[in-house]
Amino acid sequence: MYVVDTHCHAGTSWFEPVEMLLYGMNQSDVQHAILTQHRGMVDNSYLLEAIERFPGRFSAIVGVDASAPDALTTVEQLAASDGVCGIRLQPGDRSPGSDPLAIWKKACEVGLGISVFLVETVNAADPEFQSVINGLSSDCTVVLEHLCGMYAPRGPESVVPPYENYKKGLELANRPNTYIKFGGLGEFSQRPARLDNQMEFETIPPALEMAYEAFGPKRMMWGSDFPPSAAREGYRNSLQGVLEHPVFKSQEDKDWAFGKTAQKAWKLSY
C-alpha cells in the first residue's frame, strides 16, 4: 500500500528538521509526505529546499500572507514551483481591495488545492465560512483539516456528544471536491492519565465513523500532524491506530484513505 502523509510540519524556527520526519516515515513505511506550512509562516523556502533535496518524498502546502498587496502574484509564483500542490488558508483570510475572497479564487484559478486550518475561534459549522467554501468553483479542491477542527486540544466540548458543530461541518461533504483530513486517534480522543504498555484511549468518539458516512474513503486522507502528534501517541501510532480502525472495512478503503485520495486531490506526481 502506498501511504501518503498529507499533514506534517518541518522547519528550523519551529518544529523539527525534515530529516526527523523522514526518519519516522521510513520506519513506518510512509512513502510520501506533504509538508504543510505552519500557521503564520509565509517563508516557504525551507519546504521548497526539502522537496529538492529529497526527490519524490515530499510535496508542499505553502503559506501566503493574504493581506499583502502582492499576495496574488505570490500565489501564482508558488503554483509554478516544483512540488507545490496547495495553499494553506484560515477561514478569516481575506484579500485587500474590492474582492476580499480574491486569494481563495486565485488559488483555484492556478490549480492549487486549499487546505483550511480551522482555527480556535472558527469551526466548519460557521455560516460565513461555509458560504465562502460553497461559493468557490465546483472544480476547486478544498480540504478540511483536523476532522473539521474536531480535536482534543480544543477542550471537552469538541469531543463529546452531541457533536453539533462537527455534524454541521460534515455537511460540506455535499460540495464537490471537498475532502477531509484525519489524524491519529490521539487527535480527537482523550489520552488516559496513566499510560500502559499497550496504546489505548479511555474513549474514542465516533469521529471517523461520522466522517466516513459523510465523505466516504475516497474523500478522506490521513495526516500525522507531525511533530505535534508526538505529544499524543507518536508518529508510528498516529498511523497504525487509524489504519487498524474498523471504520475502514476493506483494503480498498485503506488504499484510498491512506494514499490514493491524496494522490487524486493534490494531483501528486513523483
Side-chain angles (χ1 to χ4, degrees), residues 10-233:
T12 54
S13 57
W14 287 95
F15 301 126
E16 302 283 1
V18 73
E19 288 81 1
M20 298 291 286
L21 170 61
L22 193 60
Y23 177 83
M25 291 168 61
N26 290 338
Q27 293 299 306
S28 301
D29 293 323
V30 174
Q31 285 74 34
H32 193 84
I34 301 177
L35 300 172
T36 304
Q37 188 60 279
H38 39 285
R39 177 169 46 164
M41 183 70 153
V42 294
D43 180 351
N44 300 288
S45 56
Y46 185 81
L47 307 187
L48 299 180
E49 289 168 6
I51 292 171
E52 184 176 356
R53 285 196 291 133
F54 301 100
R57 299 308 301 274
F58 298 112
S59 300
I61 294 171
V62 295
V64 175
D65 180 1
S67 65
D70 62 345
L72 303 188
T73 300
T74 300
V75 171
E76 290 180 341
Q77 293 171 343
L78 287 168
S81 301
D82 289 342
V84 173
C85 61
I87 180 174
R88 194 181 198 200
L89 295 176
Q90 296 182 43
D93 281 340
R94 297 292 185 269
S95 297
S98 59
D99 185 0
L101 299 181
I103 193 167
W104 296 78
K105 296 174 183 176
K106 175 59 70 172
C108 299
E109 177 187 317
V110 298
L112 291 181
I114 301 174
S115 187
V116 186
F117 178 34
L118 283 307
V119 295
E120 287 81 356
T121 54
V122 179
N123 56 52
D126 181 76
E128 182 178 354
F129 170 68
Q130 293 213 352
S131 177
V132 170
I133 300 305
N134 286 320
L136 298 174
S137 62
S138 61
D139 60 347
C140 182
T141 294
V142 174
V143 183
L144 306 172
E145 298 180 6
H146 300 295
L147 286 169
C148 295
M150 180 182 178
Y151 55 109
R154 286 186 180 276
E157 69 281 354
S158 65
V159 291
V160 296
Y163 316 119
E164 291 301 332
N165 284 338
Y166 185 46
K167 291 176 183 176
K168 186 66 177 176
L170 292 176
E171 291 179 6
L172 286 169
N174 293 327
R175 178 194 175 274
N177 288 315
T178 303
Y179 300 79
I180 189 168
K181 289 185 191 179
F182 63 94
L185 297 176
E187 186 172 65
F188 58 91
S189 306
Q190 293 292 348
R191 194 172 71 166
R194 181 178 182 275
L195 303 182
D196 292 324
N197 289 335
Q198 183 175 352
M199 187 190 73
E200 292 183 337
F201 292 90
E202 292 180 352
T203 58
I204 300 177
L208 286 180
E209 291 90 337
M210 295 166 70
Y212 186 98
E213 182 178 353
F215 285 89
K218 294 185 179 181
R219 288 199 288 158
M220 297 175 69
M221 59 181 75
W222 169 73
S224 67
D225 198 25
F226 173 92
S229 55
R232 302 171 203 149
E233 69 265 66

